[in-house]
């Protein structure tokens, strides 16, 4: 796999099928500049195709996840220029990544940072973390899923409170609303994220991929259609060697050896 590191992004493939991606703009609170967004797009495109990678941890570090978009790069822009940036294409490799992504959030996840976290499948947050969609304060609104993903995660009334006030919520509030999977002491967030990623990476890869695909595809489908997707995916897994190995290992009371086949 090519070197995906840039001055603004750190990427590393670790043992056990885990990849680690860290935003690295410490002097700008990890604001999502255009170069950083492009680097994230390239990184997730490559990680999705890398067979050694089975789970991805995305973090901003110990003090800040991402404080939002790079406002300076937007100041003075007109609607056509914003449209021609095609952020939907830049963020598509994260949105469509078939492998589970765990966000390890410490500190601020504001604006684009909160939207980036919501692109992930699991969000682990430190006790000092906070989440906000403050775009309304500068006369704009979220543009990379902050209205649509947020309302799906926390419901209309909580989403409206965050979107229309711009005020942050604590990690504990975010967990109660359904935005955060787990709240941990700040110094344990990354460790727990890596442990969870290692656990998921050790699961049968095809089952992991099918679970993520069906959950995401079924969220906006009717219940009947979503249940059909679930049944078909479950039936398909009975054609895999990992299913045979997993059940046989369970019967024989031994550790399974999954191959992703």
């Amino acid at each position: 796999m090519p070197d995906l590191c840039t001055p603004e992004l750190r990427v590393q493939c670790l043992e056990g099928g885990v990849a680690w991606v860290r935003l690295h703009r410490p002097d700008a609170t990890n604001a999502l500049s255009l170069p950083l967004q492009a680097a994230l797009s390239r990184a997730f495109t490559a990680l999705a195709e890398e067979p050694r990678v089975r789970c991805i941890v995305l973090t901003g570090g110990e003090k800040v996840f991402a404080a939002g978009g790079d406002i300076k790069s937007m100041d003075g822009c007109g609607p056509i220029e914003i449209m021609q940036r095609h952020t939907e294409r830049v963020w598509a490799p994260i949105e469509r990544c078939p492998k589970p992504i765990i966000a390890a959030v410490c500190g601020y996840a504001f604006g684009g940072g909160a939207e980036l976290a919501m692109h992930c499948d699991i969000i682990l947050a430190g006790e000092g973390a906070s989440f906000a969609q403050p775009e309304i304060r500068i006369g704009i609104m979220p543009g990379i899923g902050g209205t649509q993903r947020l309302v799906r995660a926390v419901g209309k009334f909580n989403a409206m409170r965050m979107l229309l006030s711009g005020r942050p919520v604590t990690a504990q509030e975010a967990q109660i609303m359904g935005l955060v999977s787990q709240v941990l002491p700040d110094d344990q967030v990354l460790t727990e994220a890596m442990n969870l990623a290692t656990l998921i990476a050790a699961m049968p890869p095809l089952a992991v991929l099918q679970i993520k695909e069906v959950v995401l595809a079924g969220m906006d489908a009717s219940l009947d259609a979503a249940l059909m997707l679930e049944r078909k995916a479950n039936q398909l897994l009975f054609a895999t060697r990992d299913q045979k190995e997993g059940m046989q290992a369970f019967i024989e009371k031994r550790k399974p050896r999954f191959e992703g086949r």
Side-chain angles (χ1 to χ4, degrees):
M1 190 174 71
D3 184 5
L4 300 171
C5 293
T6 73
E8 299 187 327
L9 190 70
R10 301 287 185 263
V11 182
Q12 188 176 3
C13 291
L14 307 173
E15 294 182 0
V18 175
W20 176 80
V21 179
R22 178 177 177 175
L23 311 178
H24 186 69
R25 295 192 72 204
D27 296 333
T29 58
N30 289 338
L32 296 165
S33 65
L34 295 180
L36 177 52
Q37 291 182 53
L40 279 166
S41 185
R42 290 191 299 270
F44 276 90
T45 297
L47 293 173
E49 299 297 327
E50 174 53 57
R52 294 176 298 167
V53 173
R54 297 184 177 182
C55 191
I56 302 165
V57 173
L58 175 63
T59 185
E62 298 175 355
K63 296 184 178 181
V64 61
F65 183 70
D70 192 341
I71 304 302
K72 292 181 181 178
S73 75
M74 292 184 275
D75 185 36
C77 289
I80 301 303
E81 183 177 350
I82 294 296
M83 181 188 71
Q84 290 176 335
R85 290 184 177 185
H86 289 292
T87 52
E88 76 282 0
R89 298 178 190 172
V90 175
W91 288 64
I94 310 172
E95 177 185 8
R96 299 173 186 170
C97 181
K99 300 170 184 180
I101 308 170
I102 301 172
V105 179
C106 288
Y108 298 121
F110 284 6
E115 290 172 305
L116 179 58
M118 286 189 284
H119 274 67
C120 300
D121 303 298
I122 297 170
I123 301 178
L124 304 185
E127 291 172 337
S130 55
F131 299 79
Q133 298 292 165
E135 290 88 349
I136 194 169
R137 296 185 179 185
I138 57 172
I140 60 172
M141 62 178 283
I144 44 179
T147 60
Q148 302 309 303
R149 287 190 176 87
L150 186 62
V151 76
R152 285 163 171 77
V154 306
K156 171 190 170 182
F157 304 109
N158 284 318
M160 284 293 199
R161 176 166 64 95
M162 291 180 66
L163 292 163
L164 296 177
S165 72
R167 285 164 38 183
V169 297
T170 66
Q172 290 80 4
E173 289 175 300
Q175 184 181 32
I176 291 169
M177 291 191 297
L179 181 59
V180 165
S181 309
Q182 186 178 3
V183 178
L184 300 154
D186 290 326
D187 60 358
Q188 295 179 22
V189 174
L190 186 55
T191 298
E192 179 58 27
M194 298 303 293
N195 290 340
L196 181 58
T198 301
L199 175 66
I200 293 171
M203 297 296 174
L206 295 177
V208 170
L209 295 177
Q210 285 295 290
I211 288 171
K212 175 168 178 174
E213 183 177 38
V214 169
V215 168
L216 295 183
M219 284 176 63
D220 295 321
S222 69
L223 180 58
D224 284 345
L227 288 171
M228 182 185 68
L229 291 173
E230 180 185 80
R231 289 194 302 273
K232 295 302 181 183
N234 182 49
Q235 293 159 7
L236 179 63
L237 289 173
F238 276 78
T240 66
R241 289 166 55 172
D242 282 349
Q243 175 266 324
K244 306 296 186 295
E245 168 64 12
M247 291 192 175
Q248 195 62 39
F250 178 84
I251 292 169
E252 296 173 2
K253 296 181 171 57
R254 60 174 174 82
K255 185 177 179 179
R257 296 180 293 273
F258 296 123
E259 305 174 73
R261 299 181 181 178

